[in-house]
Amino acid sequence: MTGGTQLWDPFDKVFIDDPFPTYAMLRQEHPVYFNAERGFYALTRWDDVVDANRDWQTYSSAEGIDLDKTGSIFFGEGNVAETDPPGHDLFRLVLKDHISPGFVRMQEEDVTRRVHELSERLAGRSRVDFAGEFCTRLPLGVVCDLLGIDPSDHDWVYGRFISMFGRESGNEAIPPSALTAAAEVRDFLAGELATRRGNGRDDLLSAIANGVVGDRPLTHIEQVGMSTLVIAAGISTTKNLLTNIFWYLARDEELRAKVQDAAVKSAPAMIEEFLRFDSPIQNSSRTATRDVELHGVTIPEGATVTLVYGSANRDPDRFDDPDQLDINRRVGKHMAFGGGVHLCIGAPLARLEAKIVLQHGLPHLAPFALDGEPERVLKMNERGFETLPLVFAA
């Protein structure tokens, strides 16, 4: 498919609100779709997306993975997600002690405490923006603590995070307010890193400030980029996952009761289904390092290729009845966090936070429903809510 009316534009609110019918059409009719206006190719079928994720030699991340260039602009050097092996593996080693499954499991007590605190703050309130006061506050507190950011600065980080990821429908340009907020966060982290260089503490910023890649120390710019990525990825993925889950629960009282009843034993499995069904990361882009022939289409060397995870996770050739949210489904492998060498570094922590929310937070919340129309995240590669107004029963 080349030229003409664009069948899918991830910047357009129409597709952001409900991309799934379009995904189905693309999988069936245009498995290699070219958006001539935006200048990118899109892969939407499960096998193609999985294969491209694995083949980093052909589909490189080094030129950026966001169609709006968020990663390149906000994070720059030190961005693990936009570095191919072997550099990618060396960067990741700097973080490994703080992202390993064993380390993440050790955070369970702290995450549980935060979930109880946030739930208690909502007690007795009839109306709340659940996205802002719970789904964002939880991962923000967790990731700031891991980095070693003083609690007195958490509110400041919260405000800048909200501004950093504000977008306008249909516009791929990053708003000036977002650029300003990102620059302020980078400056803040630069100061934090400077106090830890050669004088480390027991936190992730110290590991980054004194990190080594190969036979050399991380540069200052790389340290700042890596730290900014950790904050952004550590908050947004979990926030999107939680807002998606609670949006479904708020609209379906029966589903809410089933999830709450099964959470103690089955929370991890149910979370995998929520991840598959409505992925917090909808797409990630690559650059073709050579000409690729696929489904009768030639993707030229140098072209931007967008891997549509949200579509792959609804592919009927991979999942039975994929458009049905089935909390009893045995999901197996999915692409909600990407895959291959670039599997999302925050995935284990996001899963832990969601599990604890379902097991310890949901039972302490009064019955709830939507209180007006929520506002979706407008960033073209994410799916979640900026606001999620809920009303609680008395």
Side-chain angles (χ1 to χ4, degrees):
M1 177 74 187
T2 59
T5 301
Q6 304 311 315
L7 301 179
W8 177 59
D9 181 357
F11 293 91
D12 191 321
K13 190 175 184 301
V14 171
F15 297 105
I16 290 171
D17 285 343
D18 184 11
F20 301 108
T22 301
Y23 289 166
M25 178 272 295
L26 292 177
R27 286 194 305 269
Q28 183 68 28
E29 301 178 20
H30 306 287
V32 181
Y33 168 64
F34 180 60
N35 184 308
E37 181 180 345
R38 303 285 187 189
F40 69 87
Y41 292 80
L43 308 184
T44 51
R45 291 180 179 174
W46 171 268
D47 286 341
D48 297 333
V49 172
V50 170
D51 289 347
N53 255 294
R54 291 173 176 163
D55 187 4
W56 59 265
Q57 294 95 335
T58 300
Y59 299 95
S60 170
S61 299
E63 299 301 318
I65 63 172
D66 302 307
L67 286 172
D68 66 358
K69 304 302 180 185
T70 290
S72 303
I73 295 170
F74 282 12
F75 313 132
E77 296 178 39
N79 182 356
V80 182
E82 295 188 347
T83 308
D84 290 328
H88 168 272
D89 303 332
L90 295 175
F91 278 143
R92 200 162 178 132
L93 281 174
V94 176
L95 304 172
K96 70 178 179 63
D97 289 343
H98 291 80
I99 62 173
S100 69
F103 179 85
V104 169
R105 283 193 296 270
M106 291 170 57
Q107 309 312 305
E108 185 155 355
E109 182 177 345
D110 178 62
V111 174
T112 302
R113 174 183 60 80
R114 288 186 178 279
V115 168
H116 283 301
E117 288 176 353
L118 290 169
S119 300
E120 289 170 2
R121 289 183 195 177
L122 302 182
R125 296 179 58 182
S126 60
R127 287 178 165 81
V128 66
D129 172 17
F130 201 71
E133 296 196 43
F134 190 99
C135 299
T136 305
R137 288 286 182 179
L138 174 62
L140 182 141
V142 171
V143 76
C144 282
D145 270 4
L146 289 178
L147 285 164
I149 295 173
D150 191 275
S152 64
D153 290 316
H154 288 194
D155 283 346
W156 184 89
V157 174
Y158 173 86
R160 298 310 181 279
F161 170 80
I162 297 299
S163 296
M164 280 174 66
F165 291 98
R167 296 294 186 272
E168 299 171 358
S169 175
N171 190 352
E172 64 183 82
I174 299 174
S177 58
L179 296 172
T180 298
E184 290 173 346
V185 169
R186 288 178 61 89
D187 288 345
F188 170 78
L189 290 171
E192 292 287 307
L193 289 160
T195 66
R196 290 164 170 81
R197 207 164 290 130
N199 185 29
R201 310 171 195 171
D202 186 21
D203 57 37
L204 182 50
L205 279 176
S206 294
I208 295 172
N210 299 287
V212 175
V213 286
D215 58 356
R216 67 169 180 83
L218 284 172
T219 67
H220 173 68
I221 296 299
E222 289 170 339
Q223 293 171 13
V224 173
M226 187 177 292
S227 304
T228 310
L229 171 68
V230 169
I231 278 194
I235 299 171
S236 60
T237 303
T238 303
K239 168 202 167 188
N240 290 339
L241 170 59
L242 292 177
T243 55
N244 287 342
I245 290 175
F246 275 84
W247 184 68
Y248 287 109
L249 300 186
R251 297 166 71 237
D252 189 335
E253 186 176 343
E254 182 179 355
L255 176 64
R256 179 184 183 275
K258 288 179 178 178
V259 168
Q260 183 169 324
D261 289 345
V264 171
K265 292 184 178 180
S266 303
M270 291 190 293
I271 289 163
E272 297 309 305
E273 172 64 352
F274 280 113
L275 283 165
R276 178 204 70 82
F277 187 73
D278 211 348
S279 307
I281 303 170
Q282 285 286 300
N283 62 74
S284 184
S285 295
R286 304 288 188 267
T287 301
T289 61
R290 59 176 178 83
D291 289 355
V292 177
E293 296 285 338
L294 188 62
H295 302 301
V297 175
T298 299
I299 301 173
E301 178 182 351
T304 298
V305 184
T306 299
L307 315 181
V308 190
Y309 300 147
S311 174
N313 284 338
R314 296 284 191 104
D315 191 334
D317 289 338
R318 170 66 181 182
F319 302 100
D320 294 333
D321 200 8
D323 294 322
Q324 178 68 34
L325 176 62
D326 179 3
I327 61 172
N328 297 310
R329 185 191 300 268
R330 292 187 175 184
V331 177
K333 178 181 173 63
H334 59 71
M335 297 300 295
F337 291 121
V341 298
H342 288 290
L343 182 69
C344 176
I345 61 174
L349 193 56
R351 286 184 166 109
L352 174 68
E353 291 173 75
K355 182 193 80 167
I356 293 173
V357 168
L358 293 187
Q359 292 178 340
H360 295 275
L362 183 59
H364 290 89
L365 296 174
F368 56 85
L370 288 175
D371 183 30
E373 192 66 26
E375 296 177 10
R376 282 204 171 271
V377 171
L378 293 180
K379 192 170 184 306
M380 51 77 217
N381 64 337
E382 296 184 9
R383 186 162 170 83
F385 293 90
E386 289 293 357
T387 67
L388 187 63
L390 298 184
V391 58
F392 293 94

